[in-house]
C-alpha cells in the first residue's frame, strides 16, 4: 500500500458529537485516497492479481459512493423540513438490514476465454448465483439463462460492447437463483487483449447489491409517500381555510348590532389558529341581527381538525343561524343541535354557547352545551356567568338544556371564548387569566381594543388547539343615523 495512505495522513479521529458532516468529510477523503491507489495500480491487464486489485478498488469506490449518499440521507432526512406549522410530522422508514457477511462474500470474479471457450469462476460467484460449486461455470453464451428476461438485452449490450469495441463493463442486472430468489448484481469487467490487439478474454467482478438497492427503493418510496402526504395535507389545509373564511362572519374590526336604534352592542372577534397543527379546527364565532330586533351571539368548537371538521362546523353554524332566525330560544336551539350532531354519520362532539340579546331591555338569554360560560366585565371587575345545565353536543341522545337570563347595564362587556384561547390553561385557570384583564378592559374605548388586548396577551404563545374570542360591549348611541364598520 502506498505510503500516503498509512504515514502521511494522521489517524482519523471520531467526529465530536457524532457529527454526520464530519463522517461525510472522512468518507470523501478516504474515497480520494482509494482513487489515488487505484490509479497507481498497473492497468495493462497482463497480471491477474493486478486486475483483481484494481477491480476491488473500483468496488471500494462504489461502496464509498453509496456510503456518502447514505450519510447525506441521514443528515438531510427523506424530505426537507418545511419549518412551518403546515409541516407534518416526518416518519422515516428504516431500510432492512443487509445480510450478514463480509464484502468479499458478496463479490465474485470470473474470466471467459474466447479462444478456448472456457470459463473460470471464483467460489464467491457460485454463492452469489446460488449454483453448486461442483457444477461447471456458465459460458458467456449460457450466462443469460440465469438473468431475468427483461434484463437480458442489457447484459447482451454490455458484453458485446466489451468484446467487440473493447469497452469496459459497468452495469447492473437481475439474476434468478435456482430457488427462485431474484438478486441484483453489479458487474464490472474489461477485455483482456492478445498480443495482436484482439480480445482474447473478458474478465469481470460481480457484486451482489440486492440489499443496498432494496434499501434505496424503500427510502425513495418513503420520500414519494411523504411528499404525497404533504401535498394532500397542503390541499386539505387550503380547503379548510377557504371553507372557514366562507363561513365565519365577513366583518373585521368593530361591528354595531342592531344597526339602528340607540341601544346596541359594539362587537369584535378574532380567530387564533393552533401553532402545533397544520390543520384548521372546528372553532367558530358569530354575531347576527335577527328579524325581531334581537342580536344572536354564539361561539362553539367541534372536536378535531381538518376539512371534515370544518365542514361539520359550517353545518352547525348554519343550523344555529337558521333556527335563531326562526325565533328558536337558546335552550331549544341547543336541544336540536344535539339531535343534529347525534344523527350525523361521522361521530363527533361539540361545545357551544348561544345567546339572544334584546337591546330595548338589555336582556341576555343564553344556553350552553359543555362550553365555558360567558364572562361579564363591569366597573373594572369580571366574573363568569352562572351556567345553566347542558352537556356536550353529540354526547348523549335526548339531552335537556336549560336556559339562563342576565340583565346587562350600559358599559358592560361580555366576552365569549373557546377552550383553546388561553394556551396551556383550561377550566378555571383560563377563566382567571381572562378575568385578570378586567382593569385593562375598563380603560378600553371599543370592543376591538379589548380583542386586541386578548391577542397581545395570548396570541404569541404556543397553542395546541385553535381558539376564538368574541367581545360585545353594551353601548348607548345618540339618536339619529348610526355608524358601523362595514364588511371587510
Amino acid at each position: 500500500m502506498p505510503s500516503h495512505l498509512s504515514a502521511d495522513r494522521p489517524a482519523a479521529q471520531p467526529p465530536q458529537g457524532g457529527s454526520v458532516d464530519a463522517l461525510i468529510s472522512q468518507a470523501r477523503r478516504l474515497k480520494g485516497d482509494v482513487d489515488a491507489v487505484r490509479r497507481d495500480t498497473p492497468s495493462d491487464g497482463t497480471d491477474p492479481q493486478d486486475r483483481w486489485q484494481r477491480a476491488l478498488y473500483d468496488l471500494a469506490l462504489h461502496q464509498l459512493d453509496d456510503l456518502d449518499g447514505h450519510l447525506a440521507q441521514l443528515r438531510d432526512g427523506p424530505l426537507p423540513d418545511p419549518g412551518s406549522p403546515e409541516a407534518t410530522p416526518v416518519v422515516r422508514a428504516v431500510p432492512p438490514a443487509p445480510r450478514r457477511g463480509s464484502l468479499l462474500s458478496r463479490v465474485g470474479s470470473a474470466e471467459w476465454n474466447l479462444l478456448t471457450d472456457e470459463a473460470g469462476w471464483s467460489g464467491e460467484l457460485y454463492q452469489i448465483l446460488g449454483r453448486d460449486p461442483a457444477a461447471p461455470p456458465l459460458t458467456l453464451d449460457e450466462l443469460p439463462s440465469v438473468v431475468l428476461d427483461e434484463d437480458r438485452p442489457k447484459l447482451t449490450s454490455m458484453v458485446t460492447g466489451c468484446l467487440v469495441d473493447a469497452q469496459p463493463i459497468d452495469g447492473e442486472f437481475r439474476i434468478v437463483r435456482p430457488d427462485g430468489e431474484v438478486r441484483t448484481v453489479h458487474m464490472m469487467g474489461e477485455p483482456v487483449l492478445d498480443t495482436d490487439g484482439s480480445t482474447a478474454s473478458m474478465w469481470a467482478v460481480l457484486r451482489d447489491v440486492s440489499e443496498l438497492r432494496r434499501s434505496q427503493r424503500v427510502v425513495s418510496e418513503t420520500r414519494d409517500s411523504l411528499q404525497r402526504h404533504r401535498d394532500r395535507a397542503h390541499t386539505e389545509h387550503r380547503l379548510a381555510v377557504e371553507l372557514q373564511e366562507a363561513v365565519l362572519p365577513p366583518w373585521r374590526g368593530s361591528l354595531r348590532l342592531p344597526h339602528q336604534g340607540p341601544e346596541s352592542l359594539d362587537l369584535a372577534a378574532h380567530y387564533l389558529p393552533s401553532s402545533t397543527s397544520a390543520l384548521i379546527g372546528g372553532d367558530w364565532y358569530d354575531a347576527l341581527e335577527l328579524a325581531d330586533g334581537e342580536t344572536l351571539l354564539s361561539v362553539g368548537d367541534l372536536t378535531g381538525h381538518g376539512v371534515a371538521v370544518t365542514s361539520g362546523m359550517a353545518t352547525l353554524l348554519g343550523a344555529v343561524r337558521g333556527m335563531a332566525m326562526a325565533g328558536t330560544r337558546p335552550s331549544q336551539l341547543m336541544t336540536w343541535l344535539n339531535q343534529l350532531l347525534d344523527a350525523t354519520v361521522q361521530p363527533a362532539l361539540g361545545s357551544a354557547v348561544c345567546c339572544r340579546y334584546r337591546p330595548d331591555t338589555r336582556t341576555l338569554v343564553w344556553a350552553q352545551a359543555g362550553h365555558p360560560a360567558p364572562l361579564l366585565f363591569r366597573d373594572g371587575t369580571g366574573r363568569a356567568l352562572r351556567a345553566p345545565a347542558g352537556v356536550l353536543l353529540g354526547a348523549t341522545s335526548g339531552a335537556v338544556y336549560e336556559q339562563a337570563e342576565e340583565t346587562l347595564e350600559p358599559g358592560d362587556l361580555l366576552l365569549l371564548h373557546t377552550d383553546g384561547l388561553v394556551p396551556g390553561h383550561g377550566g378555571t385557570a383560563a377563566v382567571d387569566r381572562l378575568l385578570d384583564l378586567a382593569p385593562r378592559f375598563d380603560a378600553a374605548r371599543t370592543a376591538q381594543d379589548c380583542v386586541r388586548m386578548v391577542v397581545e396577551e395570548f396570541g404569541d404563545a404556543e397553542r395546541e388547539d385553535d381558539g376564538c374570542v368574541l367581545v360585545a360591549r353594551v353601548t348607548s348611541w345618540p339618536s339619529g343615523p348610526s355608524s358601523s364598520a362595514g364588511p371587510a
Side-chain angles (χ1 to χ4, degrees), residues 34 38 53-63 188 190:
V34 173
R38 176 187 177 278
Q53 289 182 354
R54 187 177 178 85
L56 285 181
Y57 287 137
D58 289 337
L59 288 173
L61 290 173
H62 276 275
Q63 293 278 20
M188 299 178 63
E190 57 187 24

Side-chain angles (χ1 to χ4, degrees), residues 167-422:
Q167 296 177 350
I169 291 177
D170 188 352
E172 292 182 8
F173 52 86
R174 290 164 295 172
I175 57 99
V176 182
R177 292 160 57 102
D179 59 4
E181 183 183 8
V182 176
R183 307 292 292 176
T184 302
V185 174
H186 179 212
M187 183 177 184
M188 299 178 63
E190 57 187 24
V192 179
L193 304 182
D194 204 349
T195 54
D196 60 359
S198 62
T199 303
S201 63
M202 190 184 82
W203 193 86
V205 292
L206 295 93
R207 179 172 61 133
D208 186 348
V209 294
S210 304
E211 302 302 335
L212 174 62
R213 297 300 174 249
R214 184 177 294 114
S215 68
Q216 290 173 338
R217 284 196 301 272
V218 169
V219 170
S220 177
E221 290 167 1
T222 302
R223 180 187 292 110
D224 293 342
S225 175
L226 290 173
Q227 185 60 52
R228 288 193 298 269
H229 177 76
R230 286 189 62 203
D231 291 342
R232 286 196 301 270
H234 177 75
T235 300
E236 182 174 352
H237 176 79
R238 177 177 54 80
L239 291 175
V241 169
E242 291 176 355
L243 180 58
Q244 183 192 62
E245 290 177 348
V247 172
L248 292 183
W251 47 270
R252 300 292 185 271
S254 294
L255 175 72
R256 175 186 172 184
L257 291 180
H259 295 297
Q260 303 294 331
E263 301 290 340
S264 63
L265 295 176
D266 175 27
L267 297 158
H270 194 79
Y271 175 88
L272 291 166
S274 166
S275 57
T276 61
S277 174
L279 301 178
I280 297 296
D283 293 46
W284 85 79
Y285 62 84
D286 197 25
L288 184 67
E289 183 176 354
L290 303 176
D292 59 4
E294 296 186 2
T295 297
L296 169 72
L297 304 177
S298 72
V299 296
D301 180 11
L302 192 62
T303 57
H305 292 83
V307 172
V309 172
T310 309
S311 177
M313 176 270 288
T315 299
L316 286 183
L317 183 52
V320 169
R321 290 171 174 171
M323 288 188 284
M325 276 293 187
T328 306
R329 309 308 293 170
S331 59
Q332 184 61 56
L333 190 150
M334 288 297 178
T335 299
W336 287 345
L337 277 185
N338 181 65
Q339 293 177 4
L340 174 64
L341 203 56
D342 186 54
T344 56
V345 176
Q346 184 70 28
L349 293 174
S351 66
V353 165
C354 181
C355 311
R356 289 181 71 107
Y357 176 71
R358 179 171 290 279
D360 53 358
T361 61
R362 302 193 188 98
T363 303
L364 183 79
V365 179
W366 67 286
Q368 64 85 29
H371 198 89
L375 306 182
L376 177 60
F377 296 85
R378 179 182 294 168
D379 298 330
T381 62
R383 63 180 175 89
L385 299 183
R386 184 181 298 275
V391 300
L392 285 171
L393 300 173
T396 180
S397 300
V400 175
Y401 295 86
E402 296 181 356
Q403 191 169 275
E405 188 172 306
E406 189 81 20
T407 299
L408 304 183
E409 299 178 3
D412 282 357
L413 186 142
L414 202 66
L415 186 149
L416 283 66
H417 68 98
T418 58
D419 275 330
L421 179 63
V422 183

